[in-house]
Amino acid sequence: MAAEVHMADLLLARRAYRDEGAFRELLEKHERLVYNVAYRSAGNAHDAADITQETFLKAWRSLPAFRGECALSTWLCKIALSVS
């Protein structure tokens, strides 16, 4: 099951760089997790929202480099922590 989810996320990530609908799907699927990581790091809702937005912007720019060596959610959380 985990391998299937990982592969689905990898395929979604590959589509999301050029397909706005796919990127929206990626965002909706992982936004809560990224926000929660950002909130724990920042300690307040305003900064967490800013970190979340910056995380997805950086993720979009980096999608062509995403190789799927880790789960997409892990990759996004690493970006969020580097932004915060």
Side-chain angles (χ1 to χ4, degrees), residues 6-38:
H6 182 68
M7 183 56 75
D9 274 350
L10 178 59
L11 295 174
L12 179 62
R14 288 185 177 159
R15 287 188 3 247
Y17 185 67
R18 301 196 188 279
D19 179 347
E20 185 179 329
F23 187 75
R24 191 176 312 112
E25 181 181 341
L26 182 151
L27 188 140
E28 289 171 357
K29 184 174 183 181
H30 297 285
E31 186 174 24
R32 180 175 285 283
L33 172 66
V34 170
Y35 177 84
N36 287 339
V37 168

Side-chain angles (χ1 to χ4, degrees), residues 34-72:
V34 170
Y35 177 84
N36 287 339
V37 168
Y39 188 87
R40 280 187 294 244
S41 177
N44 67 73
H46 178 75
D47 289 342
D50 287 347
I51 291 167
T52 300
Q53 184 176 18
E54 183 66 23
T55 296
F56 282 103
L57 179 60
K58 284 187 175 221
W60 181 79
R61 289 178 179 151
S62 302
L63 278 171
F66 178 68
R67 296 183 307 263
E69 294 173 350
C70 64
L72 182 60

